[in-house]
mmCIF file of all heavy atoms in Angstrom:
data_model
loop_
_atom_site.group_PDB
_atom_site.id
_atom_site.type_symbol
_atom_site.label_atom_id
_atom_site.label_comp_id
_atom_site.label_asym_id
_atom_site.label_seq_id
_atom_site.Cartn_x
_atom_site.Cartn_y
_atom_site.Cartn_z
ATOM 1 N N LEU L 33 -54.121 -150.598 -54.921
ATOM 2 C CA LEU L 33 -54.758 -151.593 -54.086
ATOM 3 C C LEU L 33 -55.209 -152.760 -54.949
ATOM 4 O O LEU L 33 -55.643 -152.612 -56.051
ATOM 5 C CB LEU L 33 -55.978 -151.001 -53.362
ATOM 6 C CG LEU L 33 -55.731 -149.833 -52.390
ATOM 7 C CD1 LEU L 33 -57.048 -149.373 -51.816
ATOM 8 C CD2 LEU L 33 -54.759 -150.250 -51.273
ATOM 9 N N THR L 34 -55.091 -153.962 -54.396
ATOM 10 C CA THR L 34 -55.606 -155.147 -55.078
ATOM 11 C C THR L 34 -57.144 -155.160 -54.941
ATOM 12 O O THR L 34 -57.724 -154.310 -54.242
ATOM 13 C CB THR L 34 -55.054 -156.435 -54.456
ATOM 14 O OG1 THR L 34 -55.482 -156.514 -53.075
ATOM 15 C CG2 THR L 34 -53.518 -156.403 -54.476
ATOM 16 N N ASP L 35 -57.778 -156.049 -55.620
ATOM 17 C CA ASP L 35 -59.255 -156.119 -55.579
ATOM 18 C C ASP L 35 -59.770 -156.330 -54.163
ATOM 19 O O ASP L 35 -60.741 -155.639 -53.735
ATOM 20 C CB ASP L 35 -59.762 -157.229 -56.489
ATOM 21 C CG ASP L 35 -59.554 -156.907 -57.969
ATOM 22 O OD1 ASP L 35 -59.341 -155.738 -58.304
ATOM 23 O OD2 ASP L 35 -59.597 -157.858 -58.774
ATOM 24 N N SER L 36 -59.163 -157.229 -53.417
ATOM 25 C CA SER L 36 -59.599 -157.509 -52.064
ATOM 26 C C SER L 36 -59.328 -156.309 -51.156
ATOM 27 O O SER L 36 -60.168 -155.990 -50.292
ATOM 28 C CB SER L 36 -58.918 -158.779 -51.514
ATOM 29 O OG SER L 36 -57.490 -158.574 -51.476
ATOM 30 N N GLU L 37 -58.214 -155.652 -51.330
ATOM 31 C CA GLU L 37 -57.904 -154.474 -50.554
ATOM 32 C C GLU L 37 -58.893 -153.346 -50.850
ATOM 33 O O GLU L 37 -59.399 -152.647 -49.918
ATOM 34 C CB GLU L 37 -56.478 -153.996 -50.799
ATOM 35 C CG GLU L 37 -55.397 -154.886 -50.237
ATOM 36 C CD GLU L 37 -54.000 -154.394 -50.603
ATOM 37 O OE1 GLU L 37 -53.787 -154.044 -51.818
ATOM 38 O OE2 GLU L 37 -53.149 -154.308 -49.720
ATOM 39 N N ALA L 38 -59.156 -153.124 -52.102
ATOM 40 C CA ALA L 38 -60.049 -152.080 -52.543
ATOM 41 C C ALA L 38 -61.474 -152.307 -52.016
ATOM 42 O O ALA L 38 -62.163 -151.306 -51.638
ATOM 43 C CB ALA L 38 -60.096 -151.947 -54.075
ATOM 44 N N THR L 39 -61.915 -153.535 -51.941
ATOM 45 C CA THR L 39 -63.259 -153.815 -51.415
ATOM 46 C C THR L 39 -63.403 -153.320 -49.965
ATOM 47 O O THR L 39 -64.375 -152.652 -49.596
ATOM 48 C CB THR L 39 -63.534 -155.308 -51.457
ATOM 49 O OG1 THR L 39 -63.478 -155.757 -52.841
ATOM 50 C CG2 THR L 39 -64.887 -155.668 -50.890
ATOM 51 N N LEU L 40 -62.405 -153.616 -49.129
ATOM 52 C CA LEU L 40 -62.432 -153.182 -47.762
ATOM 53 C C LEU L 40 -62.287 -151.659 -47.627
ATOM 54 O O LEU L 40 -62.992 -151.021 -46.839
ATOM 55 C CB LEU L 40 -61.347 -153.883 -46.938
ATOM 56 C CG LEU L 40 -61.390 -155.400 -46.902
ATOM 57 C CD1 LEU L 40 -60.209 -155.949 -46.122
ATOM 58 C CD2 LEU L 40 -62.679 -155.877 -46.244
ATOM 59 N N ALA L 41 -61.392 -151.099 -48.420
ATOM 60 C CA ALA L 41 -61.212 -149.625 -48.367
ATOM 61 C C ALA L 41 -62.432 -148.870 -48.817
ATOM 62 O O ALA L 41 -62.762 -147.833 -48.250
ATOM 63 C CB ALA L 41 -59.983 -149.267 -49.218
ATOM 64 N N LEU L 42 -63.133 -149.381 -49.836
ATOM 65 C CA LEU L 42 -64.346 -148.702 -50.325
ATOM 66 C C LEU L 42 -65.429 -148.775 -49.254
ATOM 67 O O LEU L 42 -66.230 -147.830 -49.138
ATOM 68 C CB LEU L 42 -64.802 -149.342 -51.633
ATOM 69 C CG LEU L 42 -63.956 -149.040 -52.842
ATOM 70 C CD1 LEU L 42 -64.439 -149.833 -54.050
ATOM 71 C CD2 LEU L 42 -63.997 -147.538 -53.165
ATOM 72 N N GLN L 43 -65.515 -149.830 -48.508
ATOM 73 C CA GLN L 43 -66.476 -149.909 -47.428
ATOM 74 C C GLN L 43 -66.190 -148.892 -46.347
ATOM 75 O O GLN L 43 -67.077 -148.249 -45.785
ATOM 76 C CB GLN L 43 -66.518 -151.313 -46.842
ATOM 77 C CG GLN L 43 -67.075 -152.366 -47.787
ATOM 78 C CD GLN L 43 -67.056 -153.772 -47.196
ATOM 79 O OE1 GLN L 43 -66.796 -153.955 -46.020
ATOM 80 N NE2 GLN L 43 -67.282 -154.806 -48.057
ATOM 81 N N ALA L 56 -67.761 -156.381 -44.695
ATOM 82 C CA ALA L 56 -67.050 -157.642 -44.734
ATOM 83 C C ALA L 56 -66.694 -158.060 -43.300
ATOM 84 O O ALA L 56 -66.715 -157.233 -42.389
ATOM 85 C CB ALA L 56 -65.787 -157.506 -45.594
ATOM 86 N N GLN L 58 -64.414 -158.113 -41.419
ATOM 87 C CA GLN L 58 -63.176 -157.542 -40.853
ATOM 88 C C GLN L 58 -63.499 -156.120 -40.336
ATOM 89 O O GLN L 58 -62.902 -155.139 -40.793
ATOM 90 C CB GLN L 58 -62.053 -157.504 -41.892
ATOM 91 C CG GLN L 58 -61.703 -158.896 -42.435
ATOM 92 C CD GLN L 58 -60.479 -158.832 -43.365
ATOM 93 O OE1 GLN L 58 -59.509 -158.104 -43.135
ATOM 94 N NE2 GLN L 58 -60.522 -159.594 -44.429
ATOM 95 N N TYR L 61 -60.606 -153.464 -39.102
ATOM 96 C CA TYR L 61 -59.889 -152.736 -40.141
ATOM 97 C C TYR L 61 -60.772 -151.689 -40.759
ATOM 98 O O TYR L 61 -60.360 -150.536 -40.975
ATOM 99 C CB TYR L 61 -59.319 -153.690 -41.187
ATOM 100 C CG TYR L 61 -58.870 -152.980 -42.419
ATOM 101 C CD1 TYR L 61 -57.612 -152.347 -42.436
ATOM 102 C CD2 TYR L 61 -59.684 -152.854 -43.535
ATOM 103 C CE1 TYR L 61 -57.208 -151.633 -43.535
ATOM 104 C CE2 TYR L 61 -59.275 -152.108 -44.642
ATOM 105 C CZ TYR L 61 -58.028 -151.526 -44.658
ATOM 106 O OH TYR L 61 -57.589 -150.801 -45.719
ATOM 107 N N ILE L 62 -61.976 -152.089 -41.168
ATOM 108 C CA ILE L 62 -62.864 -151.165 -41.928
ATOM 109 C C ILE L 62 -63.224 -149.938 -41.104
ATOM 110 O O ILE L 62 -63.136 -148.809 -41.569
ATOM 111 C CB ILE L 62 -64.121 -151.906 -42.363
ATOM 112 C CG1 ILE L 62 -63.757 -153.051 -43.352
ATOM 113 C CG2 ILE L 62 -65.124 -150.978 -43.024
ATOM 114 C CD1 ILE L 62 -64.916 -153.983 -43.655
ATOM 115 N N GLN L 125 -50.350 -154.997 -46.403
ATOM 116 C CA GLN L 125 -51.620 -155.346 -47.086
ATOM 117 C C GLN L 125 -52.783 -154.772 -46.324
ATOM 118 O O GLN L 125 -52.811 -154.792 -45.086
ATOM 119 C CB GLN L 125 -51.742 -156.858 -47.174
ATOM 120 C CG GLN L 125 -50.694 -157.520 -48.060
ATOM 121 C CD GLN L 125 -50.843 -159.028 -48.051
ATOM 122 O OE1 GLN L 125 -51.819 -159.583 -47.597
ATOM 123 N NE2 GLN L 125 -49.823 -159.665 -48.640
ATOM 124 N N ALA L 126 -53.727 -154.187 -47.060
ATOM 125 C CA ALA L 126 -54.895 -153.539 -46.416
ATOM 126 C C ALA L 126 -55.945 -154.570 -46.044
ATOM 127 O O ALA L 126 -56.939 -154.755 -46.767
ATOM 128 C CB ALA L 126 -55.449 -152.481 -47.364
ATOM 129 N N ASN L 127 -55.734 -155.256 -44.926
ATOM 130 C CA ASN L 127 -56.728 -156.216 -44.410
ATOM 131 C C ASN L 127 -56.470 -156.378 -42.911
ATOM 132 O O ASN L 127 -55.573 -155.757 -42.349
ATOM 133 C CB ASN L 127 -56.715 -157.518 -45.175
ATOM 134 C CG ASN L 127 -55.344 -158.169 -45.197
ATOM 135 O OD1 ASN L 127 -54.693 -158.275 -44.195
ATOM 136 N ND2 ASN L 127 -54.927 -158.614 -46.352
ATOM 137 N N GLN L 322 -54.589 -170.153 -47.944
ATOM 138 C CA GLN L 322 -54.516 -168.731 -47.841
ATOM 139 C C GLN L 322 -53.133 -168.315 -47.328
ATOM 140 O O GLN L 322 -52.800 -168.568 -46.177
ATOM 141 C CB GLN L 322 -55.595 -168.188 -46.880
ATOM 142 C CG GLN L 322 -57.034 -168.392 -47.334
ATOM 143 C CD GLN L 322 -57.344 -167.536 -48.553
ATOM 144 O OE1 GLN L 322 -56.650 -166.519 -48.813
ATOM 145 N NE2 GLN L 322 -58.308 -167.957 -49.362
#
Side-chain angles (χ1 to χ4, degrees):
L33 300 178
T34 63
D35 290 342
S36 60
E37 289 178 312
T39 298
L40 299 177
L42 288 174
Q43 292 178 12
Q58 301 185 40
Y61 166 80
I62 297 171
Q125 296 178 9
N127 56 46
Q322 293 294 336

